[in-house]
Amino acid sequence: MGTVLKLRWNVPAVIRALRRDVTGLALIEFAYGLPVLLAIGLGGVEIANLAVTRMRLSQIGMIVADNASRIGSTNGLSLKKIYEADVNDTFEAARIDGKTIDFANRGRVIVSSLQQNTAGGQWIAWQRCYGSKVWPSSYGVAGNGQTGTAFAGMGPAGAQIQAPASNAVIFVEIAYNYNAIVEPFAAGLQYFGLRVDNQVLTYKGAFIVRDPRQLGVSTDPSTTATEDYGLFQNTPAVTRNTC
């Protein structure tokens, strides 16, 4: 017959042995601290990514507004003329600078030429857009304010930017669909007052036109559409990036 071994546990002795055992102490502490360290690390990554994206959008807006305020061709005998290809070139700068954040597919940039109308009021003489995101301008479409003085300008209420007489202001609006890196974790950060989850980031900027340019006339004899006031079509014709 086989021998039956019976294991008997001395409970007090086992408890004393476990109390003295420190072989797994560091591992247990690390297991307790890992969630906290992970949360701090991912939180820092999400906040940094949001900050970098915002900075990139502001750079795109400044580049587009600055370039659009400088473009145009002149022959020394007439005011500078702005062509459709010139505006398209400014959008090419936005495409290149926004490639790392997929701005072409997830963003929208709206360029408006703010000018004075014949009554001394403000109006959007022309407007062009780039990007696949559907996002309307906060100040209306091209032709808004063409007559009268009801249109106060573009910008925050009570502090609107206005174009001076015989000159224009290039006003840029940007909207972008921001996606968090770790979406469930980013959504949880809202409980701590940190909004880094999926959202629409916006930016506005303006530059006054540097050189005198031809303003406020329909430059395309084939159309009288208001979005063509102040923009010349190239020969051969190029794409009009209307909004």
Side-chain angles (χ1 to χ4, degrees):
M1 295 180 62
T3 302
V4 178
L5 298 178
K6 294 183 179 180
L7 298 178
R8 296 182 179 179
W9 291 88
N10 188 336
V11 177
V14 172
I15 293 177
R16 287 194 297 270
L18 290 176
R19 186 183 301 170
R20 293 192 299 267
D21 189 3
V22 295
T23 56
L25 183 60
L27 182 61
I28 294 174
E29 289 180 344
F30 179 76
Y32 283 135
L34 180 59
V36 177
L37 294 176
L38 184 63
I40 295 175
L42 290 178
V45 170
E46 291 289 357
I47 294 173
N49 184 63
L50 178 61
V52 170
T53 302
R54 285 188 176 276
M55 182 182 67
R56 181 59 57 84
L57 293 176
S58 68
Q59 290 175 339
I60 293 174
M62 291 179 62
I63 289 174
V64 172
D66 190 23
N67 288 345
S69 69
R70 299 174 184 269
I71 59 176
S73 61
T74 179
N75 58 15
L77 299 177
S78 61
L79 296 176
K80 180 177 287 189
K81 296 180 178 180
I82 307 302
Y83 290 86
E84 293 288 345
D86 297 326
V87 179
N88 293 348
D89 287 342
T90 65
F91 291 149
E92 183 66 13
R95 183 191 68 82
I96 295 174
D97 196 41
K99 185 178 297 184
T100 57
I101 59 175
D102 194 23
F103 183 82
N105 296 315
R106 295 161 54 186
R108 183 78 160 176
V109 56
I110 306 172
V111 178
S112 303
S113 180
L114 182 64
Q115 304 173 20
Q116 277 196 16
N117 59 25
T118 55
Q122 300 293 303
W123 72 304
I124 302 175
W126 57 263
Q127 192 175 80
R128 293 293 184 265
C129 296
Y130 168 79
S132 299
K133 178 176 174 58
V134 178
W135 186 267
S137 171
S138 302
Y139 311 100
V141 298
N144 189 23
Q146 185 174 0
T147 59
T149 58
F151 185 52
M154 305 178 74
Q160 291 92 340
I161 294 176
Q162 297 183 339
S166 302
N167 204 351
V169 172
I170 298 298
F171 195 93
V172 170
E173 302 169 76
I174 284 181
Y176 175 77
N177 290 333
Y178 173 78
N179 292 335
I181 299 175
V182 185
E183 296 183 9
F185 176 78
L189 286 179
Q190 294 187 62
Y191 293 102
F192 301 95
L194 299 175
R195 179 70 188 276
V196 296
D197 62 331
N198 299 341
Q199 57 186 293
V200 177
L201 303 180
T202 59
Y203 172 85
K204 295 179 176 67
F207 275 80
I208 193 168
V209 170
R210 301 298 200 275
D211 303 311
R213 65 173 56 169
Q214 187 166 332
L215 305 173
V217 294
S218 182
T219 58
D220 187 347
S222 65
T223 178
T224 57
T226 56
E227 68 265 19
D228 297 324
Y229 278 78
L231 278 180
F232 286 82
Q233 179 57 281
N234 296 81
T235 304
V238 301
T239 302
R240 292 182 181 272
N241 289 299
T242 53
C243 299

